[in-house]
Amino acid sequence: MNPRTRRPGRIAYPALLATTALGTMSSAVVNAPLWVIRTDLGLTAEQAVLAVAAFTVAMATTVPVSGWLGDRLGAKPFLLAALAVMVLAELAAAAAGGLGMLVAARAVQGAACSAIPPCVQTALVTAWPDRTARTMGTWASAIGLGQAVGPPFGGFITDALGWRWVFLVHAGLVLVLMAALAAAMPGVPRGRPPLHTAALGWLVVGCAATASAVVLAGQNGPWAGVGLLAVPAAAGWVLFVHLSRRRSRRAAADPAAPRPLLEPALLRGPGYRTAAAGAGLAMGAMAVAIVATPLFLAAELALAPARIGLVVLTLALAMTATGPLAARVGRRHGSGVQLGRGVALVVLATPVLTTATVAARLGVDTWVVVAVVITGLVVAGAGIACAQSAAATELLLSPAGRSGTAVGLHNMIRFLAMALGYSAVSLAHALDAPGLIFPALGLAALAVLVALRTPRRPAPAAAPDPTEPGPAVPGRTDGAVAGDRDVPTGGNRSTGLDDDAALGGPDRIHHPHPTDAPVPPALPRTAGASRREDRP
């Protein structure tokens, strides 16, 4: 641990995991009472989904900036400030009188919640650097716990007090959590990430326009607006990459020149690409399940919000229970194998859920349909948990895992995939084709599975700078050195390569281009690390 980092208190670990759970919970609390909110405010089905999607779109837009700000300002103060903003936004949501105010409040909640993933991941890996895989498995379980508590929490409170109290009670829980974090969260030394205003601005433009186009498409147009948004989306991403590459070349030629906001070479590694694919599929599948299922249960089976919450609870309970088991599979066989198994489970879940929708329309008894839905959600939850924790491990063990901006981009992909899932559900309802939702998810998951099974050559990485002090803590750019990590000993099976090759190990790297800036060396691979974790 860095000598400037205060030793974490006893409640630091559960407080950080509870932060992840409450953050996930904040996006899920409106899912079970969604039909009640729609009726009370006079919304259409597409508008009701927009109230859910606004949260995720705001997260997808702001999370890359949050990763940079967490580095710049410090994970602890930035996280506490973001949680304070979340409380104020929840109070506004509770007072919403129409769609506009509700969507705006939910968007602010999502922007504030975007600070949680990069700050929590940085704090966890900094304070406990010797158990990354186990920590990420537990972190994935915390995401599942948030999904588990969210729907029944929203459903029961709506039945007892009304949907507005859902936001008020959750705000009170966030205040309690803020006090615990202020007292126990370990301080992470602030880094000095490069200040590249133009690149950062175009990154935000690209994220915002992309997310907005996805949501607008889910509202069934206007398609001219979707096309217009595609222009700033493409311009934002192209200019961000161009400016980053130009500054990277200048920094390689002149060590005194300013560094880029993000080294483009970091994103070309197979570990980063695999993590992005797995995390995107997991979040997209979770979005479809937690929105399409409540709408189906309410419209086709006329279940009350509390019962809907209990049914959706099974998805998250499966995620929570599978997280630690998935991490064990990753330590034994490699995170690539773990990720492939998770995606395969998502593929298997979709025909089960499709069968439930068909059975309901054929007049099959309600309890039979609900049993089939629960079966599909359990299988999907197990797959999502496997893919989620494997993707996080792949990310944090790759060179890109030590850049707050790269971690932020990874989380942006996760939440953009979630927004895409919401939009797919919304568009299917707008086109009166809800029966196609789960088959489409199955095809997408199958495509990801095929891509993961296809061997690919590792992207060449630049040689490390011999003057570098060593690998830094993930999310840090100031050179803080990480301790030993628990590294899967089974190799990266998704690429068909051993771990050192897949992650750009120091004995296999070479210069891809003479003008590329050096990429920091990968973390040391310690063969006994995973076995140390298995000991009590």
Side-chain angles (χ1 to χ4, degrees):
M1 183 180 301
N2 190 292
R4 294 177 294 169
T5 304
R6 181 168 57 88
R7 186 177 181 84
R10 291 183 177 180
I11 65 172
Y13 193 70
L16 288 167
L17 295 177
T19 302
T20 296
L22 268 183
T24 307
M25 180 180 169
S26 64
S27 69
V29 290
V30 299
N31 294 338
L34 194 59
W35 198 266
V36 176
I37 296 174
R38 172 189 173 180
T39 303
D40 189 31
L41 298 182
L43 308 177
T44 65
E46 305 93 84
Q47 290 173 329
V49 174
L50 182 61
V52 178
F55 183 98
T56 305
V57 168
M59 286 195 72
T61 301
T62 56
V63 74
V65 181
S66 294
W68 184 87
L69 287 174
D71 272 358
R72 192 81 178 183
L73 304 178
K76 182 174 181 177
F78 180 58
L79 179 58
L80 291 174
L83 292 177
V85 173
M86 180 183 290
V87 170
L88 296 177
E90 291 194 294
L91 297 179
L99 177 65
M101 185 173 180
L102 179 61
V103 169
R106 291 289 290 166
V108 175
Q109 289 177 43
C113 192
S114 69
I116 293 178
C119 291
V120 169
Q121 286 178 317
T122 297
L124 286 173
V125 178
T126 302
W128 296 277
D130 57 335
R131 48 178 180 173
T132 302
R134 176 180 294 180
T135 299
M136 288 302 101
T138 310
W139 173 80
S141 294
I143 294 176
L145 180 62
Q147 292 295 343
V149 175
F153 175 89
F156 282 114
I157 290 182
T158 298
D159 282 350
L161 302 172
W163 66 267
R164 299 181 188 275
W165 280 92
V166 173
F167 297 107
L168 296 176
V169 175
H170 189 272
L173 294 176
V174 174
L175 287 173
V176 173
L177 182 60
M178 288 175 62
L181 290 173
M185 180 176 174
V188 179
R190 289 186 296 175
R192 294 183 179 179
L195 180 59
H196 194 181
T197 307
L200 188 61
W202 283 113
L203 175 61
V204 172
V205 169
C207 291
T210 302
S212 300
V214 168
V215 172
L216 189 59
Q219 299 296 304
N220 197 17
W223 295 103
V226 176
L228 290 175
L229 283 170
V231 175
W237 289 112
V238 169
L239 288 172
F240 166 69
V241 172
H242 169 71
L243 293 172
S244 299
R245 288 178 62 88
R246 185 174 67 178
R247 183 172 280 199
S248 177
R249 289 192 294 267
R250 290 177 178 176
D254 181 8
R259 293 177 296 154
L261 183 69
L262 175 67
E263 287 287 353
L266 293 178
L267 307 184
R268 295 198 293 266
Y272 191 87
R273 296 198 304 269
T274 300
L281 187 278
M283 294 296 281
M286 185 165 60
V288 170
I290 63 178
V291 174
T293 304
L295 289 175
F296 162 71
L297 295 174
E300 299 292 337
L301 304 181
L303 296 187
R307 291 187 177 182
I308 292 173
L310 288 176
V311 173
V312 179
L313 172 67
T314 58
L315 171 83
L317 288 178
M319 291 177 61
T320 305
T322 307
L325 299 176
R328 183 173 298 178
V329 171
R331 293 197 302 272
R332 181 169 300 177
H333 302 289
S335 54
V337 172
Q338 177 190 347
L339 180 57
R341 291 179 180 178
V343 176
L345 287 173
V346 174
V347 173
L348 292 176
T350 54
V352 179
L353 294 170
T354 302
T355 301
T357 62
V358 174
R361 295 192 174 187
L362 293 177
V364 177
D365 288 345
T366 298
W367 71 269
V368 175
V369 176
V370 170
V372 175
V373 169
I374 289 174
T375 302
L377 291 179
V378 168
V379 176
I384 292 169
C386 286
Q388 192 90 265
S389 60
T393 303
E394 285 272 328
L395 170 69
L396 294 178
L397 293 180
S398 70
R402 298 188 292 279
S403 166
T405 306
V407 173
L409 276 174
H410 172 83
N411 284 302
M412 181 274 297
I413 294 171
R414 292 174 59 229
F415 298 125
L416 190 58
M418 200 169 192
L420 184 61
Y422 290 146
S423 293
V425 174
S426 178
L427 183 60
H429 279 275
L431 298 176
D432 195 25
L436 298 179
I437 294 173
F438 293 116
L441 174 61
L443 291 176
L446 185 61
V448 173
L449 182 62
V450 171
L452 292 176
R453 296 293 185 185
T454 303
R456 59 172 64 92
R457 295 174 62 84
D465 187 345
T467 63
E468 289 288 332
V473 175
R476 310 296 305 143
T477 56
D478 59 351
V481 177
D484 280 341
R485 301 242 187 156
D486 51 349
V487 179
T489 59
N492 189 320
R493 307 296 172 84
S494 65
T495 61
L497 300 167
D498 62 81
D499 286 325
D500 281 329
L503 296 177
D507 58 336
R508 298 175 183 264
I509 50 183
H510 60 279
H511 289 284
H513 302 289
T515 56
D516 280 345
V519 177
L523 292 171
R525 320 297 293 178
T526 53
S530 61
R531 293 178 175 80
R532 283 199 298 272
E533 267 208 348
D534 293 333
R535 298 174 185 172

